[in-house]
């Protein structure tokens, strides 16, 4: 699994919002500058996170973005699924976007060695990413 730029930037933007949670909103320009994220790409990411119910936005002089949920209630796995889709390396082992393999010779057999191995990979990835909350993630990047 390779983390996409969208997820990398999304997680970095969420660090900023987690550090400011309950204190103030952040304008997208502030987030972009602090995390070195192209503003146009950040806008798309923040819109996706807003549609998924993780962030809110407010217009005006004191406007900006803020987390809707507590940072401890948002997992890294949840964010990556929102921005990049399922964590499973192949669709036939996905728990959130399962698709049966049509071309696979094991598709109609009771056991598939590829599916067994990739299911273990999916479980390992999800187990790690769903274990860490945004609060845990942001704790390693406290501003002094």
């Amino acid at each position: 699994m390779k983390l996409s730029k969208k997820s990398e930037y999304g997680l970095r933007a969420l660090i900023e919002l987690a550090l400011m949670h309950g204190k103030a909103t952040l304008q997208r320009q502030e987030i972009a500058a602090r995390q070195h994220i192209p503003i146009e790409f950040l806008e798309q990411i923040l819109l996706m996170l807003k549609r998924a119910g993780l962030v809110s936005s407010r217009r005006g002089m004191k406007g900006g973005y803020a987390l809707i949920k507590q940072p401890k209630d948002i997992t890294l796995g949840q964010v990556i699924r929102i921005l990049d889709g399922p964590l499973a390396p192949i669709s036939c082992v996905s728990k959130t976007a399962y698709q049966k393999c049509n071309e696979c010779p094991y598709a109609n057999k009771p056991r598939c060695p590829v599916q067994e191995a990739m299911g273990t990979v999916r479980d390992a990835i999800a187990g790690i990413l769903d274990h860490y909350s945004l609060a845990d993630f942001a704790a390693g990047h406290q501003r002094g």
Side-chain angles (χ1 to χ4, degrees):
M1 176 187 157
K2 182 175 190 285
L3 193 64
S4 74
K5 279 295 183 190
K6 188 187 302 181
S7 284
E8 178 189 341
Y9 290 162
L11 289 170
R12 287 175 24 203
L14 288 170
I15 286 172
E16 296 298 330
L17 295 177
L19 294 173
M20 296 303 292
H21 184 68
K23 299 174 190 170
T25 59
L26 282 176
Q27 293 185 348
R28 64 181 180 241
Q29 295 89 339
E30 293 175 273
I31 298 168
R34 290 179 185 175
Q35 290 294 329
H36 307 284
I37 302 171
I39 191 83
E40 300 82 17
F41 202 10
L42 179 61
E43 288 172 356
Q44 295 171 18
I45 292 166
L46 290 170
L47 182 59
M48 291 176 78
L49 295 171
K50 182 178 176 181
R51 286 181 181 151
L54 294 187
V55 301
S56 64
S57 65
R58 190 172 59 182
R59 294 178 189 244
M61 288 285 289
K62 296 194 180 209
Y65 290 86
L67 289 178
I68 292 174
K69 297 180 177 185
Q70 294 290 325
K72 68 179 179 60
D73 295 330
I74 301 169
T75 68
L76 301 187
Q78 180 182 11
V79 173
I80 293 168
R81 285 182 190 97
I82 289 166
L83 297 174
D84 281 338
L87 299 176
I90 56 176
S91 59
C92 66
V93 298
S94 177
K95 289 188 175 182
T96 58
Y98 172 84
Q99 289 182 350
K100 186 175 180 169
C101 301
N102 295 325
E103 73 285 349
C104 179
Y106 299 103
N108 295 318
K109 296 190 178 183
R111 187 172 170 273
C112 172
V114 175
Q115 196 175 46
E116 288 176 20
M118 292 300 112
T120 303
V121 170
R122 177 216 51 225
D123 292 345
I125 292 169
I128 293 166
L129 293 175
D130 290 337
H131 173 75
Y132 286 98
S133 72
L134 194 52
D136 299 325
F137 193 58
H141 183 69
Q142 294 293 329
R143 292 206 185 283

